[in-house]
Amino acid sequence: MKVIDAHIHPFLDPENNIAAYGAPNTTEELFAELRRAGITEACGSVIRKTEAETFDVIVKLNDDALKIRDRYPDFYIPGVLVHGLFPAESCRELERLYALGVRWIGELVPYLMKTGTYDSPGMMEIYALAQDLDMPVNLHLWPSKLAELEVAVKNFPRLKLVIAHPGDFGEAPERFRFVAEHDNVFLDLSGTGLFRWNMLRYAIGVCGSERLLFGSDFPICSAGMNLQGVLAETLSEEESANILYRNFERIIGNL
């Protein structure tokens, strides 16, 4: 069974290992665990808890993602970072990475990387180029609000925005409605949410299975538990295929 995990955080350097309990300790161990859990391909950015005072930090993390792709070309799909306080540098970086075959931006995590709000003038410049390049952008919202995405959604109707994490009780229904109201917005199922009974069926009822992507947020969260959370739901074959791989392939361009 094909399963594409749209939301992981691999690493080369130990300082970029964000596993909650310290393991896996290497990229090889990380991908071995994903495969053991049933994941056949995975996508995501290399992140770390740092305030990027210069853009060199972003470039280094993106270069790590490329190195990981080169080592695991049949498994890892690189996600890359941009920085709203460095829009010109970010746009040059996207053009560089696009030329190297990268097609996915994010997950972006402002509260870790101190990249500013999603509705900043700098991010508007970055969204414009991402739209032109047809590169989806995966966005962590907490503590950001959905209101920050409204400007991007309205001004860049061809930009594919992927909200990371359903969230829990108060957040999730609001996010499902937001996805349903905007044709260019999707949601990945990583992190909080799938352990709540009937959440996935509820989400499908609001926004449809065509708007949801499987994700785990590994190694912070359990890839196996999140995958079983999808498999345990009563889904049709089409709904399962949409969520587990088809939607990701469709919005990234079926690399």
Side-chain angles (χ1 to χ4, degrees):
M1 177 178 62
K2 180 185 287 190
V3 179
I4 300 178
D5 189 334
H7 189 134
I8 68 163
H9 294 294
F11 59 90
L12 291 178
D13 300 332
E15 66 180 0
N16 298 332
N17 180 3
I18 58 174
Y21 293 100
N25 295 302
T26 66
T27 310
E28 183 176 353
E29 289 178 5
L30 185 145
F31 287 164
E33 175 59 23
L34 285 169
R35 290 190 179 98
R36 189 186 71 83
I39 310 302
T40 56
E41 294 179 78
C43 176
S45 58
V46 181
I47 62 173
R48 70 177 184 182
K49 297 179 180 179
T50 182
E51 187 166 346
E53 297 179 356
T54 70
F55 197 71
D56 291 345
V57 173
I58 300 297
V59 174
K60 168 63 167 61
L61 296 174
N62 289 341
D63 283 343
D64 281 359
L66 293 177
K67 291 174 183 176
I68 296 170
R69 179 191 64 177
D70 291 345
R71 294 181 189 180
Y72 303 89
D74 297 326
F75 187 80
Y76 175 60
I77 302 164
V80 295
L81 302 176
V82 293
H83 198 305
L85 302 183
F86 297 93
E89 295 90 339
S90 291
C91 288
R92 287 195 295 269
E93 178 73 348
L94 285 186
E95 289 172 341
R96 176 182 81 94
L97 295 165
Y98 186 88
L100 294 172
V102 174
R103 296 295 184 270
W104 188 270
I105 302 169
E107 180 203 18
L108 305 182
V109 192
Y111 79 95
L112 288 182
M113 305 292 292
K114 311 301 183 188
T115 54
T117 63
Y118 289 138
D119 56 358
S120 69
M123 286 303 299
M124 295 301 115
E125 293 183 43
I126 295 167
Y127 293 144
L129 179 59
Q131 177 176 258
D132 290 344
L133 296 176
D134 195 26
M135 296 179 73
V137 185
N138 185 251
L139 304 164
H140 183 113
L141 286 188
W142 186 90
S144 306
K145 305 299 182 183
L146 286 171
E148 290 185 20
L149 298 188
E150 287 283 0
V151 177
V153 169
K154 292 178 180 178
N155 286 280
F156 306 103
R158 293 184 290 106
L159 175 64
K160 299 166 184 173
L161 293 167
V162 182
I163 296 172
H165 319 305
D168 214 339
F169 296 125
E171 301 164 314
E174 182 183 12
R175 294 183 182 189
F176 302 151
R177 288 192 296 270
F178 189 85
V179 170
E181 291 167 1
H182 303 288
D183 292 340
N184 58 330
V185 181
F186 305 82
L187 185 142
D188 87 55
L189 297 169
S190 63
T192 305
L194 278 173
F195 67 94
R196 300 293 186 190
W197 182 81
N198 206 46
M199 184 279 287
L200 183 53
R201 173 50 60 193
Y202 180 93
I204 292 172
V206 175
C207 57
S209 67
E210 300 85 356
R211 311 295 290 282
L212 304 172
L213 286 70
F214 172 74
S216 68
D217 207 10
F218 190 75
I220 299 173
C221 300
S222 166
M225 185 190 75
N226 279 276
L227 179 55
Q228 290 303 314
V230 175
L231 298 177
E233 290 277 1
T234 305
L235 304 179
S236 69
E237 289 186 12
E238 181 177 9
E239 289 171 336
S240 295
N242 284 342
I243 292 167
L244 293 177
Y245 70 91
R246 191 180 290 156
N247 294 337
F248 180 88
E249 290 184 336
R250 174 166 51 88
I251 71 172
I252 202 175
N254 197 21
L255 287 179

